[in-house]
Amino acid sequence: MTGLAVLAGLMIAVGLAGIVLPVLPGPLLIVGGVAVWAVPRGDAVGWWVLGIAVAVTVIGQVAKYLLPGRRLKASGVPTRTLLAGLVLGVVGFFVIPVIGLFIGFVLGVWLAELVRLPDAATAWRSAREALTAVGWSILIELAAGLLATAVWIGGLVVG
C-alpha cells in the first residue's frame, strides 16, 4: 500500500468517526480521502471509484434530510425544536467534552418541546420522535459513508 493509500484510509476513518461524532465533517473527509487516493492515480479505476463515492455521498446527504424530515413533519415537531437541541448540544460539548453534545442535544429538544406542549409526558413523546429522526439521519449518513468506503476498498483490490 502506498503512502497516499494510507493517508486516504486515515482520512476515511476519521470521516466515519465524524459521522457518529458530528464535530468533524465526516462525508467531506471520506470523499476527500477517496480523492487523495484517486486523483494522483489518474486512471479509470481511480476516477470511477471517486465518481461512485461522490454519488453515494451526495445521495446519502439528500436522503438524510428528506427521509427523517418527512417523519418530523408528520409528527408536528418544529424546526426550532431541533435548533434548540443543537444550541444546547454545542454548549454541552464544551461543558462535558464529547458526551455533553448528546446530553445537551437531548435536553435542548426536550426543553423546547416542554415549552411548546402542555405537559412533560407529551413533550417527551414529541422529543423522542425528534431524536428518532436524528438517529435515522445519522444511520443514513453512516450507511452512505460505509458504502463509499467499500467502493474505495474495492478500488484498492482491483487496482
Side-chain angles (χ1 to χ4, degrees), residues 12-106:
I12 291 168
V14 170
L16 289 171
I19 291 171
V20 178
L21 299 171
V23 177
L24 302 169
L28 188 60
L29 283 169
I30 293 169
V31 169
V34 173
V36 161
W37 171 82
V39 171
R41 289 175 56 104
D43 64 355
V45 171
W47 290 115
W48 273 102
V49 167
L50 181 59
I52 293 169
V54 167
V56 165
T57 303
V58 168
I59 290 168
Q61 291 300 298
V62 170
K64 91 172 197 174
Y65 289 110
L66 288 182
L67 301 176
R70 286 185 186 164
R71 182 178 182 149
L72 280 176
K73 276 193 173 195
S75 68
V77 176
T79 304
R80 71 175 180 266
T81 295
L82 295 178
L83 290 176
L86 179 65
V87 168
L88 276 183
V90 169
V91 169
F93 178 77
F94 290 106
V95 174
I96 309 168
V98 183
I99 63 167
L101 179 71
F102 300 106
I103 293 169
F105 183 78
V106 171

